[in-house]
Amino acid sequence: MHVPDGFLDAPTSVATGVVAAAAVGVALVKARKELDDRTAPMAGLVAAFVFAVQMLNFPVGAGTSGHLMGGALAAVLVGPWTGLLCLSVVFIVQCLLFADGGITALGTNITLMGITTVAVGWLVFKGLQLVMPKRLSLTAIQAGIGAFVSVPVASLLFVLLYAAGGTADIPLDTLATAMVGVHVLIGIGEGIITFLAVGAILAVRPDLVYGARPILARRELEIRSTATKTTGASA
Amino acid sequence: MGAGHGHTLHFHGHSPVHRAPAHLKVLALLGFMLVVVATPRDWYAAFAVYLAALIVVVGVSRVPPTYLLKRTVVEVPFVLFAVLLPFVATGPQTEVLGVSVSQHGLEAGIALLVKGTLGVLASLTLAATTEPQDLLVGLERLRLPQQLVQIMAFMVRYLDVVTDEMRRMKVARESRGFSARNPRHWPVLARSAGALFIRSYERGERVHLAMLSRGYTGRMPR
């Protein structure tokens, strides 16, 4: 759900625009470290993937369905800076070519659904990776938890922005309860789907998952020569 | 332009609005919307002027109004929010059709509807009259970082490829009798999303290698 024009007042829109521009500027420099000269084609294709996956509807039941926002997913799959670039590009293209989300709210949309979900998703993922055992099978769970946390946090930030530049005086506690309540539910969906998708990718190409690389690097080459150990558990 | 090319919103034409440089159109949209957003909500006459200006531009562009109106559905979630506003906001109450609602909420809801609708219509007009390629050139003229414009160019170029890939996966799933109805079917959909990521990523790697073999050095040729 994109914030349209006129939802927040002009100063707030401009301020979030400045925040978004600064974050994208930093991401442009940092993403080169994640992808070197592959940045343009890789980030472009991943952005197209994020756009497509947002069109994939997950039925909730009773005829309603939701879709992935993909911030935490992109961060875990391609790294936080590249992920942030991809999401920002998706929002710019949705705004300019698909009229989804207002142009004055572009900075707000990038700040809320790009920067916040990527940063929170990635930090939670990284934090869990530090404290939990270094096992590849846990990576998908950590990604799922990161995705789950990122959605209510983004909605809470929206409430704060609304408090600063909102256009109607809704009691803030009501708004916060409603927004966070709804987004905890949305976050559960986002978390489960991110968990399942990352798990599916880890099963096929674990080397593509940026967040799993530190764990893959810890693996040592095992050579099992004796025929008696054929049933040994693989890592 | 045949089906499958360009993007879904573009409406082919040769009007002055179509031919105007894309960077001017983006700036005009941004300026127009900043003015609309900054306008106090009770200046109803000003909003009428904005709407009239927008109608003139749409008229000159010769994009059928029904074409644009049909595509304003992206706005629906916020219409719902705007309709709810009078009932959840606080402040002095007024009577509308025998229902007691918040005065401020009502004004804010109307303002949100008006500003949001103007925004969607103006954005649709830009999208309908600008080719993606022109838009990218325009953004580059506006001094958007070159790297960012390149990423956008790749995204726009491969958007249809990737979404078509996803559509083929959907056809394949459904031809095997699958239809997603409730959360029990999520694992299948999530595996599709995973496969789509792997295919997109690997396509990116192939595209990059193909570019290197044609002499790509990190900048696009002019």
Side-chain angles (χ1 to χ4, degrees):
Chain A
M1 206 151 109
H2 293 58
V3 178
D5 286 308
F7 205 76
L8 299 170
D9 62 9
T12 317
S13 303
V14 172
T16 52
V18 171
V19 170
V24 170
V26 175
L28 277 170
V29 178
K30 298 272 188 180
R32 292 214 138 242
K33 284 197 187 123
E34 286 168 1
L35 286 172
D36 54 67
D37 69 331
R38 296 181 303 155
T39 307
M42 296 310 299
L45 260 300
V46 173
F49 160 75
V50 171
F51 185 92
V53 95
Q54 289 188 350
M55 287 161 52
L56 189 62
N57 276 318
F58 285 82
V60 182
T64 55
S65 64
H67 69 80
L68 209 57
M69 288 198 259
L73 179 67
V76 172
L77 290 180
V78 294
W81 299 110
T82 313
L84 175 56
L85 275 190
C86 293
L87 273 127
S88 307
V89 167
V90 167
F91 292 127
I92 298 173
V93 168
Q94 283 175 339
C95 167
L96 291 177
L97 291 181
F98 293 87
D100 197 2
I103 191 166
T104 57
L106 184 58
T108 313
N109 282 321
I110 292 179
T111 307
L112 284 176
M113 291 189 288
I115 301 171
T116 313
T117 58
V118 167
V120 172
W122 177 254
L123 291 175
V124 170
F125 171 78
K126 258 316 198 194
L128 288 173
Q129 206 172 43
L130 280 177
V131 297
M132 279 161 86
K134 309 280 181 289
R135 295 243 308 275
L136 193 60
S137 54
L138 292 175
T139 305
I141 297 172
Q142 292 153 352
I145 297 174
F148 161 67
V149 176
S150 72
V151 177
V153 172
S155 76
L156 203 60
L157 189 67
F158 172 81
V159 174
L160 289 181
L161 282 182
Y162 198 85
T167 47
D169 43 359
I170 307 173
L172 275 185
D173 48 344
T174 320
L175 182 67
T177 320
M179 285 294 285
V180 174
V182 169
H183 283 86
V184 163
L185 292 179
I186 296 176
I188 291 174
E190 178 100 5
I192 293 174
I193 296 162
T194 302
F195 158 69
L196 290 168
V198 172
I201 296 164
L202 280 172
V204 187
R205 288 285 305 268
D207 56 313
L208 289 193
V209 180
Y210 180 89
R213 278 183 204 162
I215 291 171
L216 288 177
R218 292 161 58 95
R219 276 184 171 177
E220 282 172 21
L221 181 66
E222 284 181 67
I223 299 165
R224 297 182 193 136
S225 49
T226 49
T228 50
K229 288 175 78 178
T230 44
T231 53
S234 57
Chain B
M1 184 168 261
H5 291 281
H7 56 91
T8 45
L9 283 181
H10 185 254
F11 187 86
H12 188 70
H14 299 280
S15 73
V17 184
H18 281 83
R19 277 182 276 126
H23 60 286
L24 292 184
K25 282 192 269 188
V26 174
L27 278 185
L29 175 66
L30 185 61
F32 177 72
M33 285 322 299
L34 275 176
V35 170
V36 169
V37 170
T39 305
R41 60 167 85 137
D42 48 358
W43 290 12
Y44 295 111
F47 290 113
V49 172
Y50 301 148
L51 184 62
L54 205 53
I55 289 172
V56 168
V57 173
V58 173
V60 172
S61 75
R62 302 228 194 92
V63 177
T66 48
Y67 181 90
L68 296 179
L69 288 177
K70 257 187 272 173
R71 283 160 181 79
T72 51
V73 285
V74 287
E75 212 196 351
V76 166
F78 278 92
V79 173
L80 291 180
F81 189 88
V83 170
L84 276 178
L85 263 184
F87 300 100
V88 293
T90 50
Q93 304 280 309
T94 50
E95 291 264 321
V96 177
L97 304 172
V99 185
S100 168
V101 295
S102 155
Q103 174 83 36
H104 287 193
L106 188 66
E107 284 168 8
I110 292 172
L112 182 60
L113 268 185
V114 170
K115 290 179 179 180
T117 309
L118 281 173
V120 168
L121 278 178
S123 305
L124 280 172
T125 312
L126 172 78
T129 58
T130 315
E131 291 267 14
Q133 289 308 319
D134 298 339
L135 185 73
L136 292 171
V137 174
L139 289 178
E140 203 160 10
R141 282 236 184 98
L142 290 176
R143 298 291 156 94
L144 226 67
Q146 220 236 345
Q147 184 86 1
L148 197 67
V149 178
Q150 263 193 52
I151 297 174
M152 275 180 71
F154 276 99
M155 180 196 164
V156 169
R157 182 168 301 183
Y158 285 97
L159 200 55
D160 286 330
V161 176
V162 174
T163 47
D164 276 351
E165 192 132 45
M166 196 175 71
R167 199 169 306 130
R168 285 195 296 278
M169 289 163 124
K170 183 178 152 75
V171 170
R173 282 198 306 269
E174 285 176 359
S175 59
R176 285 163 177 76
F178 175 82
S179 85
R181 280 181 306 274
N182 58 48
R184 267 185 307 161
H185 300 127
W186 284 7
V188 177
L189 294 172
R191 272 197 292 277
S192 297
L196 188 68
F197 170 74
I198 294 171
R199 289 179 186 182
S200 308
Y201 197 92
E202 288 178 343
R203 186 186 295 277
E205 287 176 332
R206 291 197 300 277
V207 168
H208 176 244
L209 289 178
M211 287 162 64
L212 286 183
S213 62
R214 285 162 177 78
Y216 175 70
T217 54
R219 291 183 77 84
M220 290 302 262
R222 302 263 115 202

